[in-house]
Amino acid sequence: MGNYDVPMVGGVVVSFQTLRFGLSNETMMLLTSVHTPEGRSVSPIEHERVAQYLESIGVL
């Protein structure tokens, strides 16, 4: 879980899931939930903006 201030969305609280692949020993981090600090779910468009922002800063 982490808190981020995402441009055009604002403050969000996100949860991640990490998958590990046994044969290749690679990992993949998935964005599982995004909501405001007040607990409100974000729209699909805002969810995508958060995912793109987190990828741009190297979190995903």
Side-chain angles (χ1 to χ4, degrees), residues 20-40:
R20 185 174 308 277
F21 300 94
L23 294 175
S24 63
N25 205 28
E26 292 184 31
T27 59
M28 177 189 301
M29 187 177 288
L30 302 175
L31 181 60
T32 56
S33 72
V34 180
H35 57 275
T36 66
E38 298 80 27
R40 179 184 63 85

Side-chain angles (χ1 to χ4, degrees), residues 2-54:
N3 299 321
Y4 296 91
D5 188 20
V6 179
M8 299 183 355
V9 177
V12 293
V13 179
V14 299
S15 297
F16 304 103
Q17 179 181 6
T18 302
L19 302 176
R20 185 174 308 277
F21 300 94
L23 294 175
S24 63
N25 205 28
E26 292 184 31
T27 59
M28 177 189 301
M29 187 177 288
L30 302 175
L31 181 60
T32 56
S33 72
V34 180
H35 57 275
T36 66
E38 298 80 27
R40 179 184 63 85
S41 294
V42 299
S43 72
I45 293 170
E46 291 171 322
H47 190 282
E48 182 60 28
R49 285 183 180 145
V50 171
Q52 289 177 4
Y53 174 74
L54 294 176

